Amino acid sequence: MSQRTAVVASRVGLHARPASIFTQAVAASGVDVTIAKPGEEGMDASSILMVMALGAGPGQTVVLEADGPESDRVLDELVVLLETDLDAQ
Amino acid sequence: MSEQSRVLQGVGVGRGAVWGPVARVRPAPTVPANELVPADPAAAKEMVEQAFADVAAGLRAQAGRAAGTLAEVLSATAQMADDRALRKQVLGRIDKGEPPLTALSAVVGDFASMFTSAGGYLAERVTDLVSVRDRVVARCLGVPEPGVPPLERPAVIVAVDLSPADTAALDLEMVLGIVIEQGGPTGHTAIIAGQLGLPCVVRAAGASDLLDGEIVAVDAAAGTVVVGPDAVTKARVEARRVALAALAENLADGATADGHPVALLANIGTAEDAERLTDAAVEGVGLFRTEVLFLGHATAPTEDAQAAAYTRALAAMGGRKVVVRTLDAGADKPLAFVTRAGEENPALGVRGFRLVRAAEDLLLTQLAAIARAAHETGTRPWVMAPMIATVDEAAQFAAMARAVGIEQVGVMVEVPSAALRARDVLAEVDFVSLGTNDLAQYTMATDRLLGDLVDLLDPWQPAVLDLVAATASAGVELGKPVGVCGESAADPVMALLLTGLGVTSLSMSPAAVPGVRFALARHTLAGCQEIAVAARAARTAQQARAVALALVDPEVRDVLALG
């Protein structure tokens, strides 16, 4: 099990465009990734509905988890994505 | 009219007329109440999965053909239809023995209530979720997806009512006119149709019985929809279309026959609207409704974002006059980040300029952004506040606006108290503008969203005319401009009356300008004054309009179908 924490950089939080870009990246990776607030149960990170429902605001720490050979590389990429202000692009 | 024709009566918006085939907007399908558990759950799951995939593909294709905000809304909705968690939960419930559409409704219902309780941005996404559900249900039931069908030939759009999303999705090249069964003449659909210059009839009883492809003649001036029009009716409609097109060729400034100027201005909501006015024969913008920038957002737009939008609009208008109205939100235009929840009578509550009590920063930021846009474009926008009820409020707004360097400061007269004390209000500001819809709402104790009370909302109501007259005469006395930016300015007969009362500018949807220009050019100022005096002597709204109409030049009555 690989795990990473990231701080949401987007000024609007994981809503709208940032949530859309993030979940598309997860889906494209082909790896089952979960996302959660620290101490909470993980949700499917490829689901835009789940990620939006997570309600992660700007500055919120989130925990990503995945299994398998590709998981470290995929999680590293996702952390970079979360820590970029996606709405500013 | 032949015997085969029947006529639906409604309320017309605009003066245009058109004939063509009907294209029906499809209603949302209902999930059968006692849906059966499928004999073959695997097949049911496959059907639902296929429906999700088809809906997502359809939405993505629509998004690909759209642009801007509409494209973003559509592709976000497509992503919801593609959502793994949503599908997994639906399929899981089918596995547990639930009928497929019941399962789908339950899962969407769960997400919707989660989003609703989160509020703000998420709550607004509920509409998108519901639209995904309706589309998937339609696919599974084998009925057409709800909403506006793709148009292959120019058609008259017929619906019970149009949602904002339906309206946004209209392919304007293909829409001849709009007929809706519900709504009111000041509702969302009517306003959009007016702005686009599309002939529109609202509250057309029986419209839902019209069939796809059936030929109808829509006459907005008469408020009629003729089903199966004969050759004579079609020819008459065509003649009106040609006469109105000829009027649109006249680009002169607004003036009476004897040269008394009345500025003819446009109402706009976005910078794009301003850019579309480049070639329009208007002298400027009499009402720039800035709330479009604020509506549908989780947080207020920044000063930078606002300044950019205002700069674009001001630049598009070049040196022409632009009247910017500061944020008019609350009541029927709620904002996620400032509107109070649970206000029992929002139209009587904290809305318009009154938001300054709850969130002063909103207005300060907006004024700063307008001032920056004025500086950047080297123009001098006029700026006015909505919903002013007292002299103190007018003075407070004027001080705030002048502090950032705005030179022409005004307020809206939409509340009877402001009209009755217009002299004192005008002493504090440089101009006023009458919003006749709201003025009628507050004078007649009539919620403007209630179609059933449309007769009371009539700007021809004598009490409303009295308040307009009081405001106009204060302007004449003090030598300050008094505009009208309500839709009543678009009625050529009312435009003559307003001119007679001393109103100095009329602002309306650009499509209405040619008719008003033509009416003005055929009457002297004295003739307009005579109309005003006669109408104000009437005891009812109907009588007021009838006596005014009787004094209108016969050719104007004929060409504009004012009957």
Side-chain angles (χ1 to χ4, degrees):
Chain A
M1 176 74 70
S2 306
Q3 196 187 65
R4 299 284 188 283
T5 60
V7 175
V8 174
S10 163
R11 274 172 295 170
V12 297
L14 267 183
H15 275 166
R17 260 185 96 227
S20 167
I21 295 169
F22 173 73
T23 52
Q24 285 184 40
V26 175
S29 75
V31 173
D32 280 336
V33 180
T34 64
I35 184 168
K37 289 183 181 169
E40 291 182 9
E41 198 188 333
M43 304 211 216
D44 184 346
S46 72
S47 160
I48 189 165
L49 295 176
M50 289 299 201
V51 168
M52 278 166 43
L54 184 68
Q60 168 77 50
T61 301
V62 293
V63 181
L64 301 179
E65 284 184 352
D67 261 331
E70 289 286 286
S71 60
D72 279 311
R73 182 185 59 78
V74 167
L75 290 187
D76 284 340
E77 286 172 10
L78 294 174
V79 168
V80 171
L81 207 52
L82 287 174
E83 298 199 332
T84 309
D85 183 358
L86 297 172
D87 217 41
Q89 294 173 356
Chain B
M1 209 172 294
S2 74
E3 283 177 14
Q4 290 86 16
S5 317
R6 63 196 162 91
V7 180
L8 312 181
Q9 185 67 48
V11 181
V13 179
R15 316 237 45 94
V18 74
W19 68 271
V22 165
R24 294 191 48 88
V25 173
R26 302 174 204 291
T30 43
V31 174
N34 296 310
E35 198 192 18
L36 295 177
V37 176
D40 182 355
K45 279 165 50 179
E46 205 180 302
M47 170 186 77
V48 171
E49 281 212 86
Q50 188 60 49
F52 268 117
D54 290 346
V55 167
L59 287 166
R60 270 197 303 270
Q62 255 185 293
R65 290 192 297 270
T69 317
L70 178 58
E72 274 185 33
V73 169
L74 288 169
S75 62
T77 313
Q79 223 182 332
M80 286 185 184
D82 257 336
D83 198 81
R84 272 217 309 201
L86 178 62
R87 290 188 197 195
K88 232 156 86 182
Q89 290 189 22
V90 176
L91 300 181
R93 278 171 174 262
I94 298 174
D95 273 333
K96 287 188 190 137
E98 266 187 53
L101 300 183
T102 308
L104 170 68
S105 293
V107 173
V108 169
D110 285 349
F111 272 111
S113 52
M114 186 159 56
F115 281 16
T116 305
S117 59
Y121 174 82
L122 280 182
E124 285 154 24
R125 301 281 72 74
V126 170
T127 321
D128 306 339
L129 260 175
V130 167
S131 126
V132 166
R133 179 198 64 197
D134 291 343
R135 287 164 193 267
V136 173
V137 169
R139 290 265 174 184
C140 291
L141 294 175
V143 300
E145 280 191 25
V148 180
L151 300 176
E152 273 137 32
R153 54 178 175 164
V156 174
I157 298 291
V158 176
V160 174
D161 197 0
L162 292 175
S163 70
D166 287 334
T167 314
L170 292 178
D171 176 359
L172 295 179
E173 300 282 306
M174 293 292 189
V175 179
L176 295 172
I178 296 175
V179 175
I180 59 171
E181 177 130 12
Q182 294 176 355
T186 58
H188 168 86
T189 304
I191 288 172
I192 301 266
Q195 273 171 0
L196 299 173
L198 292 172
C200 175
V201 175
V202 303
R203 300 184 74 71
S208 31
D209 298 332
L210 292 172
L211 304 174
D212 267 321
E214 204 164 17
I215 301 296
V216 291
V218 180
D219 185 335
T224 56
V225 179
V226 180
V227 188
D230 58 17
V232 177
T233 308
K234 286 184 193 170
R236 201 183 302 137
V237 162
E238 188 56 21
R240 266 263 297 298
R241 201 187 60 71
V242 171
L244 290 173
L247 290 190
E249 306 270 295
N250 182 352
L251 309 180
D253 283 354
T256 58
D258 51 340
H260 171 74
V262 180
L264 299 179
L265 309 168
N267 294 344
I268 64 168
T270 60
E272 285 86 349
D273 290 344
E275 282 159 2
R276 269 197 291 275
L277 288 178
T278 319
D279 299 322
V282 294
E283 288 155 64
V285 166
L287 173 63
F288 178 9
R289 300 184 176 97
T290 55
E291 49 275 8
V292 179
L293 273 168
F294 294 77
L295 294 168
H297 291 277
T299 52
T302 60
E303 185 183 319
D304 287 351
Q306 289 189 56
Y310 304 144
T311 300
R312 232 179 107 190
L314 292 176
M317 295 308 294
R320 285 190 275 180
K321 173 177 172 177
V322 176
V323 184
V324 183
R325 179 175 71 187
T326 58
L327 180 60
D328 185 17
D332 58 325
K333 290 174 278 201
L335 290 182
F337 47 91
V338 64
T339 305
R340 294 183 181 192
E343 212 170 40
E344 240 175 286
N345 297 302
L348 301 177
V350 180
R351 54 162 297 208
F353 178 71
R354 298 170 181 188
L355 288 172
V356 81
R357 298 167 188 239
E360 190 182 28
D361 280 356
L362 269 185
L363 184 57
L364 291 173
T365 305
Q366 185 174 28
L367 288 170
I370 296 169
R372 255 172 65 185
H375 182 72
E376 265 166 50
T377 52
T379 59
R380 295 175 171 180
W382 297 31
V383 179
M384 66 183 179
M387 268 302 275
I388 293 293
T390 68
V391 172
D392 286 340
E393 286 172 340
Q396 187 190 354
F397 177 71
M400 291 171 81
R402 291 190 179 121
V404 295
I406 289 161
E407 292 172 29
Q408 289 289 326
V409 180
V411 297
M412 296 277 298
V413 173
E414 303 163 284
V415 180
S417 60
L420 288 168
R421 305 303 299 229
R423 211 166 268 108
D424 296 335
V425 170
L426 261 175
E428 299 292 339
V429 293
D430 305 305
F431 70 98
V432 295
S433 186
L434 285 148
T436 44
N437 283 337
D438 269 326
L439 187 59
Q441 158 169 281
Y442 293 121
T443 306
M444 305 304 295
T446 304
D447 188 324
R448 56 186 280 194
L449 299 180
L450 286 181
D452 291 342
L453 299 178
V454 98
D455 53 317
L456 296 179
L457 206 56
D458 191 337
W460 288 93
Q461 284 289 350
V464 179
L465 292 181
D466 283 353
L467 292 170
V468 172
T471 309
S473 74
V476 171
E477 195 181 304
L478 298 178
K480 291 186 177 180
V482 174
V484 171
C485 59
E487 273 308 300
S488 68
D491 170 359
V493 187
M494 179 62 88
L496 297 173
L497 178 150
L498 295 170
T499 301
L501 290 177
V503 164
T504 54
S505 69
L506 300 168
S507 191
M508 63 201 86
S509 53
V513 168
V516 171
R517 185 194 329 269
F518 174 62
L520 276 175
R522 293 299 177 101
H523 295 83
T524 59
L525 179 58
C528 295
Q529 286 162 345
E530 196 188 335
I531 289 172
V533 169
R536 288 200 57 212
R539 294 169 55 244
T540 69
Q542 268 185 324
Q543 286 168 8
R545 186 161 198 279
V547 296
L549 187 59
L551 292 169
V552 171
D553 177 85
E555 194 192 340
V556 171
R557 276 204 305 247
D558 193 42
V559 170
L560 299 180
L562 296 175

